[in-house]
Amino acid sequence: MTIVDHAPAMLAAAAERAAAAGLTERVTCVEGDVHRLPDDLAGGGFDAVLCHNLLAYTDDARRTLAASLAPLRPGGLFSLMAINRHSQPLTLAVRELDLPSALAALASDRAGTRMFGSSLALHTAEELTGHLTDLGCEEVRHYGIRNVCDHITDDARKYDPAFYADLERLELALTGRHPHMHTARLLQLIGLKSTR
């Protein structure tokens, strides 16, 4: 497994987790930018590529997706996770009780973040599926991640093992069901790189 990230702290955390699991020999951490991958990574030999939580920090989703697909071999599995634009009004209304911001979010593809104090790009599954199809992905499937978890305001309750187990069962039941996947906090798209 090769992990690429531009943030040394994220790579250090990944290396620490690999060591704790006894997997140091099987995990390689590379500090880098998806748009400037080393030749040995960008060559197209990987069986699977996960592009998770990257698009929120880029301004050109299509360019980033093309760069992310480059390391994938034909027929390889591509997994994309991004913040779902359709979830933002619901998050602001239910979680933050900020109805004016929820209304404004209907017309916006950006969201603020407290963690980094920056603006995040939001996307829809429809938009990103179009990009992936144009870039040579086939059989693209859409799933919703964190369909209800983020809307439960009692965060302490989520640490109760029985409640968490029920929540997990519900989340798994909703992940591929219409209409829930369209308002989930995160969208996941999974597809195969074309062999043609």
Side-chain angles (χ1 to χ4, degrees), residues 7 20 33 37 41 46 84 98 101 119 124 132 135 144 173 176 193-194:
D33 183 317
L37 291 173
L41 296 183
F46 287 88
N84 181 6
D98 186 347
S101 292
S119 176
T124 67
L132 289 177
L135 291 168
K193 188 173 184 178
S194 176

Side-chain angles (χ1 to χ4, degrees), residues 108-179:
S108 178
D109 64 356
R110 306 296 297 184
T113 174
R114 289 185 192 125
M115 184 178 294
F116 299 113
S118 63
S119 176
L120 302 175
L122 307 177
H123 301 279
T124 67
E126 297 81 7
E127 161 203 349
L128 296 176
T129 298
H131 289 325
L132 289 177
T133 302
D134 291 346
L135 291 168
C137 276
E138 301 172 340
E139 301 179 40
V140 178
R141 302 281 188 258
H142 172 203
Y143 302 96
I145 308 296
R146 293 179 7 211
N147 291 277
V148 296
C149 181
D150 286 28
H151 306 304
I152 297 172
T153 58
D154 185 352
D155 289 327
R157 185 95 188 267
K158 298 172 193 175
Y159 289 95
D160 173 84
F163 183 84
Y164 185 84
D166 288 341
L167 177 59
E168 183 178 39
R169 278 192 292 277
L170 177 60
E171 288 284 1
L172 290 171
L174 295 174
T175 192
R177 289 192 187 200
H178 180 81

